[in-house]
Amino acid sequence: DIQMTQSPSSLSASVGDRVTITCQASHDISNSVNWYQHKAGKAPTILISGASTLERGVPSRFSGRGSGTHFTFTISSLQPEDFATYFCQQYDRLPITFGQGTRLEIK
Amino acid sequence: QVQLQESGPGLVKPSETLSLNCTVSGVSISTYYWGWVRQPPGKGLEWIGHMYYTGNSKYNPSFESRVTISIDTSKSQFSLQLRSVTGADTAIYYCATCSGARCYELGFWGQGTTVIVSS
């Protein structure tokens, strides 16, 4: 199975801050990574597919980059509604696997 | 809009079968593959498997010997059965849409349902 090592596991930041989350894949997975947002008690939502493609309706402050084994997810200017858990997912090969998640908290 | 809602018992006894349903609305059951993902307490997400309405299915090898996913197109529902459960199967279970046989995108998710395995 492909392991997705996500860091940090938690992050404290303020409104307006720029934050970056990283996922490292155990094998080369090209650009086969998605990023999701999950708020407690709600359904997760996909934000970015194919490492860098913003899903329809997702604000442009969210972005993703990377290929091969190293991927990053950035929020350029945190908004109050962005405090949530974020996780990556690889789909290069089955079984699909996920990062452990990053809990983004208000400082 | 596409909505998914999990339902089923919140408590299952060890060695028994965990059974969950996911009711789909806002989209035809033939549009996507339909999958299950879980999150044990304090751990990351685990993909369990997914199925197309034709019966084509993919399962995580970690669960393959004791899992069945089925689809009832007449009810716009799909189901998960996980046999011989133990405490390690305690988790939040999510149903989700999968794009393609490789499940390259989980576009829509349910809110999740908590299942505790305990006697």
Side-chain angles (χ1 to χ4, degrees):
Chain A
D1 298 3
I2 293 175
Q3 306 301 316
M4 299 296 286
T5 303
Q6 185 173 341
S7 62
S9 56
S10 64
L11 181 56
S12 293
S14 301
V15 173
D17 283 354
R18 178 184 181 91
V19 299
T20 296
I21 299 167
T22 297
C23 266
Q24 187 84 18
S26 59
H27 299 78
D28 186 335
I29 57 171
S30 184
N31 67 335
S32 303
V33 166
N34 300 326
W35 290 92
Y36 300 82
Q37 179 189 68
H38 188 198
K39 296 182 179 180
K42 298 198 171 181
T45 57
I46 186 167
L47 300 179
I48 289 172
S49 60
S52 61
T53 300
L54 211 59
E55 292 290 303
R56 184 178 301 181
V58 175
S60 59
R61 63 181 180 272
F62 296 98
S63 64
R65 297 185 63 178
S67 66
T69 62
H70 186 78
F71 302 88
T72 60
F73 170 81
T74 297
I75 308 173
S76 60
S77 179
L78 275 171
Q79 298 302 301
E81 62 268 28
D82 298 339
F83 291 94
T85 297
Y86 296 87
F87 58 91
C88 61
Q89 172 236 331
Q90 70 79 21
Y91 56 88
D92 184 70
R93 63 194 80 164
L94 294 177
I96 60 171
T97 49
F98 300 87
Q100 290 287 100
T102 296
R103 184 174 179 177
L104 181 53
E105 300 172 323
I106 301 174
K107 185 182 287 182
Chain B
Q1 73 274 28
V2 179
Q3 291 189 313
L4 290 79
Q5 180 65 58
E6 304 90 349
S7 60
L11 181 64
V12 181
K13 290 182 168 53
S15 80
E16 295 190 344
T17 296
L18 179 160
S19 296
L20 296 174
N21 291 321
C22 182
T23 300
V24 177
S25 60
V27 68
S28 168
I29 203 83
S30 62
T31 301
Y32 295 105
Y33 279 72
W34 303 94
W36 291 94
V37 175
R38 77 178 190 180
Q39 185 167 29
K43 296 188 177 182
L45 292 159
E46 299 176 299
W47 168 73
I48 299 171
H50 59 271
M51 169 175 274
Y52 197 49
Y53 77 102
T54 57
N56 184 23
S57 60
K58 303 284 184 185
Y59 294 121
N60 188 328
S62 297
F63 299 97
E64 193 157 19
S65 64
R66 60 190 185 102
V67 69
T68 301
I69 295 174
S70 58
I71 295 179
D72 186 336
T73 56
S74 66
K75 294 182 179 179
S76 285
Q77 270 187 354
F78 63 105
S79 302
L80 171 71
Q81 286 197 319
L82 186 64
R83 296 175 289 277
S84 304
V85 297
T86 69
D89 295 308
T90 293
I92 300 174
Y93 286 77
Y94 298 93
C95 58
T97 61
C98 273
S99 296
R102 280 169 47 202
C103 196
Y104 63 81
E105 183 176 302
L106 293 100
F108 300 96
W109 299 59
Q111 293 183 324
T113 187
T114 299
V115 178
I116 297 171
V117 178
S118 175
S119 54

